Amino acid sequence: MARYNPKDTEPKWRAAWANANTFLTPVTPDARPKYYVLEMFPYPSGRIHMGHVRNYAMGDVVARYKRAQGFNVLHPMGWDAFGMPAENAAMERGVHPKGWTYDNIAAMREQLKALGLSVDWSREFATCDPEYYGKQQAWFLRLLKRGLVYRKEASVNWDPVDMTVLANEQVIDGKGWRSGATVEKRKLTQWFLRITDYADALIDGLKTLDRWPEKVRIMQENWIGRSKGLRFTFKFDGKAPAGHADGLEVYTTRPDTLFGASFVGIAPEHPLAEQLAAADPAVAAFVAECRKGGTSEADIEGAEKLGRDTGLRVVHPLDPTQTLPVWIANFILMDYGTGAIFACPAHDQRDLDFARKYDLPVLPVVLPPGEDAASFQVGKEAYVGPGAIFNSKFLDGLDVEAAKTEAVNRIEAMDQGQGATVYRLRDWGVSRQRYWGCPIPVIHCAACGPVGVPEDQLPVVLPDDVAFDKPGNPLLRHPTWRHTTCPSCGGKAERETDTLDTFVDSSWYFARFTDPTAAEPISKAAADHWMPVDQYIGGVEHAVLHLLYARFITRALKDEGLVSVEEPFAGLFTQGMVTHEAYKNAAGEWVEPSDVVIAVEGNSRSAKHAATGEPIVIGDIEKMSKSKKNVVAPEDIFEAYGVDAARLFVMSDSPPERDVQWTNSGVEGSWRFTHRVWNEFESQPAGDFAHDEADAAALALRKGAHRLIGFVTDSIEGFRFNSGVARLYEFLNMLKAAPAENATHGVLAARAEALEILARLISPFTPHLAEEAWAQLGKSGMVVDAPWPKADPALAADDERVLPIQINGKRRGEIKVKAGAAEAEVEKIALADAAVMAHLEGLTVRKVIVVKDRIVNIVAG
RNA sequence: GCGGGCGUGGCGAAACUGGUAGACGCAACGGACUUAAAAUCCGUCGGGAGCAAUCCCUUGCCGGUUCGACCCCGGCCGCCCGCACCA
């Protein structure tokens, strides 16, 4: 028997698909229902890693499956090609970002093509193609006209390593998401997108995303952070400080606790605090002290409450006889609400900590259920639960929610404030002081201000002749590029040298794929047909970055009339990472897996270096990363085991949303499977055989095959690929138990039918093997064009059931009955069973529970 | 601190809606074939008792609901992810 040889067959079938234009999705849609499958497009780093293999293999399973189900599938591929690494390469190696990027794309395209993906490569583009980013500039200008784009001076997150600004979403634990450098605050004039205009829509829209992971929806909701409360103004007692004649505006979510107020606090960055600091060196010193603390988790956790009494006093809005001191406090954030609060220490832990430290009053106003008003006291823990309001004049006796409403009504009636909704979400700062990005299509004119580049002058193309010998943005140093004339007055003017955050590039590419050559940024007809993406697949790390931005841009483009959908991704699946053990030598240096030999003794494993024999420490299972050297190169695996085995392995073993641990023995298992499958096809003799109803072995095989269809179908539909693969293994074992050699004609007929079903069922997972198997069966055409198999209900149905018999909840035997057998009949058979009778000796049967086709439980005592 | 998730053999895991716990794979062990190895094939494989049929224990821990709980409820313990002085 000839061994299955993936090295010959895999390239052969890829060529066959390419020659037949199998995966080309015509721009003009046909009568079939559409299905748009998309995996998050890759950054062209130069070579694919196992994470890519898993991501794209999953998408390919879905795409091929839907195709076989009769859908007109759109499954495109492109490149998220702008970004920092290209500039870093330019600085480190003197190559041009453009050349570096396109070389990488060429290399990765070949690797991805080797995966045998059912991708329509004719739609491929890179975000750094001027044809793409020019269209991006076009819609950017339309959003600018709409007022969704604006410029402001703001305190921004500055990444000192990448030397650029970052959006809030791109700062993780106070560090840049890409560089890992501690982020600094800087005041800069920047371009912003009004994502906050869409805060409510983005929260409310989450409810419609019923095919998104709950986790991602919760993360987005928390990130947007909507809270309802009251914004109101404290009048100053006596003379107000200059410029603050209107008073001091605060925000609270607990207007019900207003009578428990003991002081008013302002952030150290609050304009009033800065004003006071300018006049008083002692205040200035205090404000500087507050700034010193870092922003990292540990810093905040350990930060002590610091405050300074300003000497100012304000009047209580609901009780003019009462005044409150105004403190500058380090725990108040300028970024949130109004940067000023009223503090109710009895019912807020931070306020309480502060009040205890500075000996400020603590007056409880919410009485917990069961407590006595005369004796209830707050110690070190603030009471934040429900209860009845007391010590609060007209609010007394109301519950918390009713008191909130009443307090808001009173303040509104006095015209001193109003109910307000506040968000944690900030507008999206999109200016990046980088070269390798989409130029912001704006011209700055001394007379006219910033003016959008006229549409007929787009795209604003990046100049190629730039130097990376100095840090900073090369566009700023370019001798001619920025100098131009004002489109409005014709006078001398300068181009904007900031480029767009690369997350803008990835916020609409899915819509461009529907017609990548359209003259408009988005072809309305094509997008209306294909959008939304039916199944989007990618890493969970984009839960609040890319996935939030893309939702926002889609809504903004919808309001601009470019698309009709509000939500870009109807279904989302977030897949787990590919992990691998990391190895270290005695010196603590990371060692590559290929240099390590593992020895197994019983249940313990030890490792040594393959070449030197020195002992190696087997470390944790971690995400594959270059720094830990625990990377397995996909091309090495393709070479050794074939592409299908690699694809199969990343789909096996672990549920797709969970991390999968890469092991060599695991992929060997998948490789063995491909060979065993092939052996079954090869050993099947050619020819037609008639089914034999009387042949029990043949019937069992046919039943197994028809049942398998349902199992595999459900596992793909439900994203349980690992279970589907397990069922395929199980069925292969069944086939092997009914070999072709010396088989009856009935079994040969059943095998022929089973193999035809099997070839179609494995084709989403191991597409090359499936084609070779299909050809081996003598089938015409390719399996990729064959419809998904349909189970014969009569064969897939179980006509006989094995029911376990429990006595008092413990399994004591089993009986065989016809499927759907009546309860009374089942009870009779169960009670007559020898093993059951033995167990019931000396007991009285009290009750018999029969669950149809499932189980029998006898209660006896 | 808040929000979410998870905890099942030596390992990755399965168990659909409360109904036979451990499918399938990996590792391990035993055997066949082979001069030998690889590959392949067959078998064993949660723990314990027993010659055996069989029985007892077992899904992080404690308790509850139920004829019946990996699954539902309450309370602990541990791990992972996200957010975090957000008023």
Side-chain angles (χ1 to χ4, degrees):
Chain A
M1 229 169 8
R3 272 177 82 71
Y4 178 65
N5 186 354
K7 272 187 207 159
D8 293 339
T9 57
E10 290 182 344
K12 179 179 77 187
W13 290 111
R14 285 197 294 274
W17 298 323
N19 289 339
N21 280 327
T22 301
F23 305 122
L24 198 80
T25 307
V27 172
T28 315
D30 57 33
R32 290 174 295 170
K34 70 100 181 178
Y35 199 89
Y36 187 177
V37 189
L38 186 66
E39 303 92 49
M40 291 181 186
F41 66 165
Y43 177 80
S45 57
R47 42 183 37 201
I48 64 168
H49 52 69
M50 278 300 169
H52 290 123
V53 175
R54 196 174 191 213
N55 191 192
Y56 298 118
M58 273 181 206
D60 201 45
V61 167
V62 174
R64 285 175 177 271
Y65 163 74
K66 287 287 176 184
R67 202 168 177 281
Q69 284 279 28
F71 288 87
N72 186 17
V73 170
L74 177 59
H75 187 207
M77 181 63 73
W79 309 95
D80 188 15
F82 275 134
M84 284 299 305
E87 283 187 63
N88 291 340
M91 283 182 276
E92 286 159 18
R93 279 177 268 162
V95 292
H96 194 281
K98 187 176 179 178
W100 183 86
T101 302
Y102 283 104
D103 285 352
N104 284 352
I105 287 173
M108 281 179 79
R109 185 191 296 119
E110 287 318 300
Q111 292 185 303
L112 284 182
K113 283 192 169 176
L115 265 174
L117 303 175
S118 61
V119 158
D120 178 358
W121 286 98
S122 76
R123 292 171 187 253
E124 175 191 358
F125 59 74
T127 56
C128 63
D129 297 342
E131 296 75 30
Y132 179 79
Y133 69 72
K135 305 298 178 194
Q136 183 163 303
Q137 290 167 340
W139 66 247
F140 180 88
L141 289 168
R142 286 170 69 167
L143 297 193
L144 178 66
K145 277 193 197 120
R146 261 191 106 70
L148 286 175
V149 180
Y150 67 101
R151 236 162 101 79
K152 72 169 177 191
E153 191 191 48
S155 177
V156 295
N157 308 302
W158 179 259
D159 185 321
V161 168
D162 284 352
M163 302 240 296
T164 190
V165 162
L166 297 176
N168 280 6
E169 290 81 1
Q170 295 158 10
V171 180
I172 317 286
D173 292 343
K175 295 185 163 55
W177 73 290
R178 200 179 260 284
S179 72
T182 300
V183 165
E184 299 164 5
K185 289 280 174 196
R186 279 207 185 179
K187 281 221 158 170
L188 281 176
T189 302
Q190 298 282 290
W191 290 97
F192 286 84
L193 295 186
R194 278 192 213 279
I195 190 171
T196 53
D197 276 12
Y198 289 79
D200 278 319
L202 289 169
I203 285 188
D204 297 341
L206 290 171
K207 289 194 200 82
T208 68
L209 300 175
D210 56 339
R211 288 201 297 119
W212 276 44
E214 178 84 25
K215 175 195 168 90
V216 174
R217 287 184 297 181
I218 289 169
M219 281 166 72
Q220 291 211 353
E221 188 168 349
N222 290 343
W223 187 266
I224 297 166
R226 177 163 63 188
S227 79
K228 292 200 163 76
L230 170 69
R231 196 193 286 267
F232 70 99
T233 306
F234 279 104
K235 301 254 189 280
F236 283 98
D237 182 36
K239 193 168 165 272
H244 296 271
D246 291 343
L248 181 60
E249 194 178 44
V250 301
Y251 174 74
T252 182
T253 55
R254 294 299 302 272
D256 55 308
T257 64
L258 252 170
F259 285 102
S262 82
F263 65 96
V264 168
I266 59 173
E269 300 84 15
H270 194 280
L272 179 57
E274 288 182 342
Q275 186 179 326
L276 295 170
D280 182 347
V283 177
F286 174 75
V287 168
E289 172 78 19
C290 291
R291 282 223 181 97
K292 256 201 273 173
T295 51
S296 78
E297 261 179 63
D299 291 336
I300 291 164
E301 194 99 349
E304 204 184 333
K305 300 267 180 298
L306 288 176
R308 187 184 165 89
D309 192 347
T310 61
L312 296 166
R313 292 191 80 86
V314 292
V315 181
H316 194 290
L318 298 178
D319 179 6
T321 66
Q322 228 193 100
T323 64
L324 303 169
V326 178
W327 286 66
I328 302 170
N330 67 339
F331 70 92
I332 298 165
L333 304 174
M334 191 58 220
D335 289 348
Y336 188 76
T338 62
I341 60 154
F342 87 81
C344 176
H347 305 293
D348 183 284
Q349 192 60 46
R350 295 152 304 175
D351 298 350
L352 184 64
D353 293 344
F354 191 85
R356 291 295 184 221
K357 177 163 179 185
Y358 292 104
D359 205 20
L360 293 158
V362 177
L363 175 69
V365 290
V366 181
L367 188 64
E371 287 283 347
D372 182 67
S375 62
F376 177 65
Q377 289 201 328
V378 168
K380 278 189 173 161
E381 293 218 342
Y383 178 72
V384 294
I389 305 295
F390 70 129
N391 293 333
S392 297
K393 299 196 159 55
F394 53 84
L395 296 179
D396 281 356
L398 296 175
D399 67 27
V400 166
E401 287 311 310
K404 280 182 183 170
T405 310
E406 180 58 22
V408 171
N409 288 345
R410 292 267 181 157
I411 297 280
E412 285 181 347
M414 292 160 58
D415 207 22
Q416 223 172 308
Q418 56 186 198
T421 303
V422 165
Y423 305 89
R424 208 188 81 106
L425 183 71
R426 303 265 79 93
D427 273 340
W428 176 15
V430 292
S431 294
R432 295 293 179 271
Q433 292 67 43
R434 307 301 333 168
Y435 163 73
W436 193 233
C438 171
I440 294 174
V442 169
I443 291 164
H444 296 281
C445 169
C448 312
V451 181
V453 173
E455 210 169 324
D456 59 11
Q457 290 174 32
L458 296 180
V460 176
V461 179
L462 283 172
D464 286 339
D465 52 335
V466 283
F468 292 89
D469 48 345
K470 282 179 239 156
N473 184 353
L475 289 177
L476 262 174
R477 302 191 301 265
H478 193 278
T480 55
W481 182 77
R482 56 195 294 216
H483 304 296
T484 184
T485 52
C486 172
S488 167
C489 69
K492 266 194 169 178
E494 291 196 352
R495 287 190 190 283
E496 171 67 59
T497 57
D498 284 352
T499 52
L500 287 172
D501 182 2
T502 56
F503 279 103
V504 177
D505 311 341
S506 54
S507 290
W508 70 290
Y509 76 106
F510 40 86
R512 184 71 185 164
F513 271 142
T514 65
D515 184 356
T517 59
E520 278 275 288
I522 297 167
S523 151
K524 193 83 198 313
D528 280 356
H529 181 258
W530 289 106
M531 291 296 289
V533 175
D534 294 279
Q535 187 62 60
Y536 199 39
I537 305 172
V540 74
E541 65 273 17
H542 287 112
V544 286
L545 285 159
H546 163 58
L547 289 167
L548 185 63
Y549 294 142
R551 292 183 61 223
F552 158 55
I553 293 294
T554 300
R555 279 169 189 270
L557 295 181
K558 188 212 171 212
D559 290 347
E560 184 56 35
L562 285 165
V563 291
S564 301
V565 294
E566 291 187 318
E567 291 291 342
F569 313 121
L572 172 70
F573 189 85
T574 52
Q575 104 272 11
M577 297 180 300
V578 180
T579 61
H580 195 281
E581 277 177 340
Y583 308 102
K584 269 187 184 177
N585 64 15
E589 295 156 341
W590 300 103
V591 179
E592 304 215 1
S594 53
D595 290 336
V596 175
V597 178
I598 309 270
V600 183
E601 250 189 73
N603 289 330
S604 73
R605 301 163 70 238
S606 60
K608 60 179 186 178
H609 197 279
T612 66
E614 66 170 324
I616 297 289
V617 179
I618 300 176
D620 293 337
I621 295 157
E622 306 195 55
K623 179 179 180 173
M624 285 190 182
S625 76
K626 272 185 210 147
S627 61
K628 288 177 182 153
K629 292 197 176 172
N630 61 338
V631 176
V632 174
E635 58 267 35
D636 295 349
I637 301 302
F638 298 166
E639 176 70 19
Y641 304 104
V643 168
D644 282 341
R647 286 176 55 131
L648 187 64
F649 178 68
V650 292
M651 309 298 284
S652 326
D653 268 10
S654 286
E657 69 276 12
R658 235 182 275 179
D659 292 350
V660 66
Q661 192 195 339
W662 183 268
T663 60
N664 261 1
S665 46
V667 75
E668 274 170 28
S670 303
W671 177 75
R672 279 197 290 267
F673 174 80
T674 60
H675 285 286
R676 286 197 300 244
V677 166
W678 175 246
N679 289 343
E680 292 305 318
F681 280 93
E682 214 191 17
S683 62
Q684 175 74 8
D688 287 331
F689 306 96
H691 285 304
D692 180 357
E693 296 290 327
D695 188 332
L699 190 62
L701 190 60
R702 294 192 71 196
K703 280 178 162 295
H706 282 266
R707 245 174 250 162
L708 180 68
I709 296 170
F711 293 147
V712 174
T713 305
D714 291 350
S715 80
I716 295 175
E717 292 276 356
F719 272 84
R720 293 186 302 271
F721 305 125
N722 54 323
S723 295
V725 171
R727 293 296 198 169
L728 290 169
Y729 273 89
E730 203 174 27
F731 185 69
L732 178 66
N733 290 339
M734 195 174 182
L735 257 180
K736 279 170 60 182
E741 206 179 326
N742 301 324
T744 60
H745 273 241
V747 166
L748 286 174
R751 279 179 56 91
E753 181 186 26
L755 289 170
E756 194 196 314
I757 289 171
L758 185 65
R760 288 188 279 175
L761 293 182
I762 62 173
S763 77
F765 299 94
T766 55
H768 311 86
L769 173 64
E771 292 293 358
E772 191 69 14
W774 192 253
Q776 171 70 18
L777 287 177
K779 293 280 171 187
S780 62
M782 291 191 282
V783 72
V784 71
D785 293 318
W788 195 247
K790 279 201 170 60
D792 178 341
L795 283 166
D798 251 336
D799 43 15
E800 198 174 53
R801 298 273 177 157
V802 177
L803 302 192
I805 313 296
Q806 293 183 338
I807 296 172
N808 294 332
K810 287 195 192 286
R811 188 177 173 278
R812 293 300 182 202
E814 57 185 40
I815 55 169
K816 272 188 186 173
V817 298
K818 280 209 157 54
E823 288 182 20
E825 190 192 340
V826 171
E827 183 176 332
K828 215 169 95 186
I829 298 169
L831 289 172
D833 184 77
V836 172
M837 281 166 74
H839 276 282
L840 285 175
E841 214 173 291
L843 298 175
T844 313
V845 175
R846 301 232 157 90
K847 196 171 166 190
V848 179
I849 295 145
V850 179
V851 182
K852 199 178 238 183
D853 291 344
R854 284 279 191 186
I855 200 167
V856 180
N857 193 8
I858 300 165
V859 187

